[in-house]
Amino acid sequence: MSRVNEVNLAATASTGEWTGRIGASGIDKRPVRGPARVEVSGVVGDTVCDTDNHGRWFQAVYAYDLEDLRYWSGETGRELEPGNIGENLTLEGCDCGNAVIGERWRIGTTVLRVTGPRTPCRVFAGFWDMPGLIKRFTDHGRPGAYLAVERPGEITAGDAREVLYRPEHGVTIAELFAFRMGRATPELTEHVAAAEPDLPEYWAAKVR
């Protein structure tokens, strides 16, 4: 069964040279105890600094697999904890990479919609103090999933994830990520085009 391992948020912004032009980042998220309120704008109490690249309605919640977090612990030699990749939801037994664009999930009292993959950036690499992380993260090909909030509600660690609907086009997070990172074959490009109606217009335009 897929479930929420932890719900994470950044109560305050982090600062440092690695935060780039904005000078602050909300990537350093920590688990919260008890239910977290999730609105269309995101997780209540979370900090978003770079609103040009994060925090739009279709990036309201970011989910990442606990299994992939453990993979990076092995790759980096660090004991990574939930929230260390900047995710709001650390999911167990989910396989976000195979989630279909437009898929609906019920978690707690919320309904969430899968909108697209996370794109790694220099702030992420700087937060981990790891040159070359962007390429390694891209090569791994499992970026986690951004989610829109279709029904606000509350999510608590331990809540089950129920898939309510899965579009027939079958375009996955991993496939769209490969396309967006310039690693698609002609066949994959044609396949990804079928997901356009389920993409936020901002990303659909990039696919076109």
Side-chain angles (χ1 to χ4, degrees):
M1 181 183 71
S2 175
R3 68 181 188 92
V4 178
N5 179 269
E6 293 287 0
V7 182
N8 315 293
L9 58 82
T12 59
S14 299
T15 58
E17 291 184 6
W18 57 270
T19 57
R21 62 181 178 81
I22 301 297
S25 173
I27 195 172
D28 187 9
K29 303 190 190 302
R30 310 291 175 88
V32 296
R33 298 292 167 248
R37 181 71 189 174
V38 180
E39 299 287 354
V40 172
S41 57
V43 182
V44 174
D46 195 21
T47 299
V48 177
C49 299
D50 183 2
T51 53
D52 287 340
N53 296 296
H54 304 282
R56 297 180 178 92
W57 65 268
F58 51 87
Q59 300 167 308
V61 178
Y62 174 46
Y64 198 72
D65 291 308
L66 179 65
E67 292 80 3
D68 285 318
L69 197 63
R70 288 171 176 163
Y71 166 85
W72 286 111
S73 289
E75 285 290 300
T76 61
R78 309 174 188 180
E79 190 60 39
L80 296 173
E81 301 289 342
N84 281 176
I85 204 161
E87 79 277 15
N88 299 112
L89 300 180
T90 310
L91 299 180
E92 187 173 355
C94 174
D95 193 5
C96 286
N98 281 319
V100 173
I101 304 300
E103 192 171 290
R104 268 74 167 180
W105 299 348
R106 177 160 45 223
I107 303 179
T109 59
T110 70
V111 173
L112 309 172
R113 175 162 56 92
V114 177
T115 57
R118 180 243 194 97
T119 301
C121 63
R122 292 183 179 181
V123 170
F124 174 39
F127 175 55
W128 279 20
D129 191 23
M130 193 177 198
L133 178 60
I134 294 175
K135 182 179 186 304
R136 291 176 67 180
F137 190 81
T138 301
D139 288 345
H140 185 51
R142 297 181 60 81
Y146 275 127
L147 307 165
V149 179
E150 294 205 334
R151 186 174 73 198
E154 293 184 340
I155 298 177
T156 307
D159 284 345
R161 181 202 64 135
E162 178 186 0
V163 178
L164 301 176
Y165 168 74
R166 182 173 286 128
E168 292 184 0
H169 58 70
V171 178
T172 67
I173 285 288
E175 290 170 332
L176 182 58
F177 182 65
F179 171 81
R180 288 181 53 186
M181 301 305 286
R183 301 185 173 205
T185 62
E187 292 78 15
L188 179 57
T189 298
E190 183 177 354
H191 176 57
V192 164
E196 184 181 333
D198 282 308
L199 287 170
E201 177 55 29
Y202 180 80
W203 286 339
K206 294 180 180 292
V207 168
R208 287 195 295 270

